Amino acid sequence: MKIAFINDSSQQLGIQYMSAVLKQHGHEVKLFMDPQLFADDVIQINSLGKLFNYENKIVKDVKEFSPDLIGISIVTDFYQWACNIAQKIKAEIDTPIIVGGIHPTSVPDRVMNNKNFDMLCIGEGEFAMLELANSLEKGAIDYSIKNIWFRKGEEIIRNEVRPLISDLDALPMPDTDLYYSASPHFNRTGLYITMTSRGCSNACSYCCHSYLHELYKGKGPTVRQRSVNSVIEELDLNTNKHKIKFIAFMDNCFGYDLNWLKEFAREYKEKIGIKFWCIMHPNDVTEESVHYLKEAGCHTVDMGVQSWNEDLRKNILFRNIDNQTMENAIQLIKDANIEIMTDSIFDLPNQTDEDILKSAEKYIEIKPKRIYFYMLRHYPNTKMTRMAYDNNWLSKDRYEEVMDAHNVTSFSVGGDNVSKKLIKYQILFYLIDLLPKDISRFILKKKLYKYFPSFIGPALVVILRNLLAFDMNARLQRAWTINRYFHFTVKKTFNLKDK
């Protein structure tokens, strides 16, 4: 069986694992990547996006590959992109298309209304995709495969969700070469992306896990951890193959298991020894856990704060943690000379200007390495979106747009409500990152933020901030983006063929 995966401009671990499982069982897999030049989640310039559009080339290349099955993994931000490219493919070849990823998982009925999609995978796809490929190879589709919905004539067959994969070590190593062969920009910067666990013990209202906890209730533990040996084996394999300079662990709560972290620190320091970035929940940050992070060679910790208003955090965001715990966590990480980055969400329901300015005061004093400022973005079927609909924080029309991914504004450059006032606050928080404490205090005391320019869009503010950032994460992301744009603009301009 020949399976083609069509990919947006990001690197997706889910596809890497599915590819590894399929190849392990004799199937041929190829990735077709759309670089989304000037049409990604940050840079959106319509005229240049049309000039450097790769969709027709992808359709042509997929047609030449002549796959038996086409898979598209979809996030909400790129759902309309997926609909568009699926329509173009169907106009050329009648190959079945299966979609998966967090957007189809969250709103499967709505996604299956699009008749260009023949099948839909809910949740984890490794074994569902393998069973589907095996049945297609035998010449007859098995319509009873768990996790997969099928279009059969006018009927939609909705199969139940299978239990979560409990033993992550049973999976083969993720197929990193699938991406590295599709575009050199993935490995040119030396950044390697992986996960040591799946799931999250928390169910914050704005996050997809608030829905996934409900979907998988009774289907297995919410968090599953790979063994340290499995992680080290993967990293050892890839560090010997590629020039890896920095590793990003994309776990939702890295090191939540202290015993695991202790063993990891010892093995990682001895056998890998490469600087890394990780995400941690404040509740998991202790003197002991920070000691192990430092021992392992952790360079940066990203930690969600979201709001310094405890009432908002508890009753709106469903994050049951107090301010003192967060302050202590930030200080412990700083004391260990590990870079600390924090995430904050603004334009929350019932949030006041006073809340935002108190957050600014707090950040001036604790001074993390970098503050990531996000405006609230509603995603399909999250607890936040359902609360917003029930409480009329979202209009019915906007709710329908959210659920169908229409008029999407990426969370990284804006939100569902981008106002001049929020843009000024956005600039304020970015300046707090860059300026000495005394100057930041002066700006806040004299309310100079009121005079900040608001005519520039949030996307431009983000781009300028990223250009001025010197933390490791920003430098790598900047290099990754520059390499992607350089490679594919040159390729398009001079009509270069793939090697």
Side-chain angles (χ1 to χ4, degrees), residues 406-422:
H406 283 298
N407 297 323
V408 167
T409 301
S410 168
F411 77 91
S412 62
V413 298
D416 289 319
N417 177 32
V418 180
S419 66
K420 291 183 177 180
K421 182 169 64 174
L422 286 174

Side-chain angles (χ1 to χ4, degrees), residues 149-414:
W149 288 18
F150 294 90
R151 187 184 307 282
K152 190 177 183 182
E154 295 300 314
E155 179 189 5
I156 302 295
I157 299 173
R158 299 169 171 82
N159 291 308
E160 67 174 303
V161 176
R162 67 183 67 205
L164 289 161
I165 300 172
S166 58
D167 182 8
L168 299 182
D169 286 4
L171 294 170
M173 296 301 165
D175 184 9
T176 306
D177 289 340
L178 185 73
Y179 279 83
Y180 286 8
S181 62
S183 171
H185 87 273
F186 284 114
N187 69 339
R188 200 171 271 167
T189 60
L191 174 62
Y192 186 82
I193 294 173
T194 190
M195 294 180 75
T196 75
S197 64
R198 288 188 183 183
C200 184
S201 57
N202 303 288
C204 305
S205 64
Y206 53 87
C207 177
C208 63
H209 285 284
S210 65
Y211 171 70
L212 293 177
H213 278 213
E214 298 172 8
L215 176 68
Y216 281 110
K217 187 175 182 180
K219 298 284 186 178
T222 55
V223 184
R224 292 142 294 144
Q225 179 76 62
R226 294 169 63 188
S227 70
V228 170
N229 286 340
S230 171
V231 176
I232 298 300
E233 181 185 349
E234 176 198 342
L235 297 177
D236 185 53
L237 173 68
N238 284 281
T239 52
N240 286 325
K241 288 172 63 177
H242 309 290
K243 295 179 180 179
I244 296 173
K245 300 175 184 177
F246 198 79
I247 295 171
F249 292 109
M250 305 302 293
D251 308 47
N252 290 284
C253 296
F254 183 83
Y256 76 97
D257 182 332
L258 196 58
N259 290 328
W260 182 93
L261 186 60
K262 180 179 180 180
E263 181 186 353
F264 170 83
R266 182 181 64 251
E267 296 295 313
Y268 187 91
K269 178 182 179 181
E270 178 184 340
K271 298 175 181 176
I272 307 300
I274 297 173
K275 293 179 181 179
F276 67 89
W277 168 96
C278 64
I279 304 168
M280 291 193 74
H281 191 281
N283 280 333
D284 298 327
V285 179
T286 63
E287 287 188 25
E288 191 174 1
S289 66
V290 171
H291 169 77
Y292 296 140
L293 289 173
K294 184 68 175 177
E295 179 185 350
C298 178
H299 184 279
T300 306
V301 172
D302 191 338
M303 195 180 82
V305 169
Q306 316 313 354
S307 172
W308 286 99
N309 181 314
E310 291 191 355
D311 183 62
L312 282 178
R313 202 167 56 246
K314 180 179 179 180
N315 298 313
I316 300 295
L317 302 179
F318 290 18
R319 289 176 65 85
N320 191 18
I321 184 172
D322 60 75
N323 284 353
Q324 191 60 55
T325 298
M326 293 198 300
E327 287 186 54
N328 292 344
I330 292 170
Q331 194 59 51
L332 282 170
I333 293 167
K334 287 181 66 178
D335 288 346
N337 290 319
I338 298 172
E339 286 188 358
I340 174 69
M341 302 189 301
T342 60
D343 302 333
S344 290
I345 303 175
F346 293 87
D347 194 35
L348 295 169
N350 304 325
Q351 188 177 48
T352 64
D353 288 351
E354 184 181 2
D355 291 328
I356 295 175
L357 294 173
K358 283 185 176 179
S359 288
E361 291 176 0
K362 183 72 71 175
Y363 278 128
I364 289 171
E365 297 310 314
I366 61 177
K367 199 71 175 174
K369 179 68 177 180
R370 183 169 181 183
I371 309 163
Y372 280 90
F373 177 111
Y374 302 112
M375 298 179 200
L376 177 63
R377 166 74 191 284
H378 295 89
Y379 282 95
N381 252 340
T382 61
K383 182 69 173 176
M384 173 66 79
T385 298
R386 285 175 276 163
M387 289 167 60
Y389 180 75
D390 292 341
N391 290 281
N392 295 316
W393 300 332
L394 276 181
S395 67
K396 187 178 188 303
D397 287 345
R398 182 55 192 154
Y399 173 80
E400 291 298 322
E401 287 183 336
V402 167
M403 298 295 279
D404 289 325
H406 283 298
N407 297 323
V408 167
T409 301
S410 168
F411 77 91
S412 62
V413 298

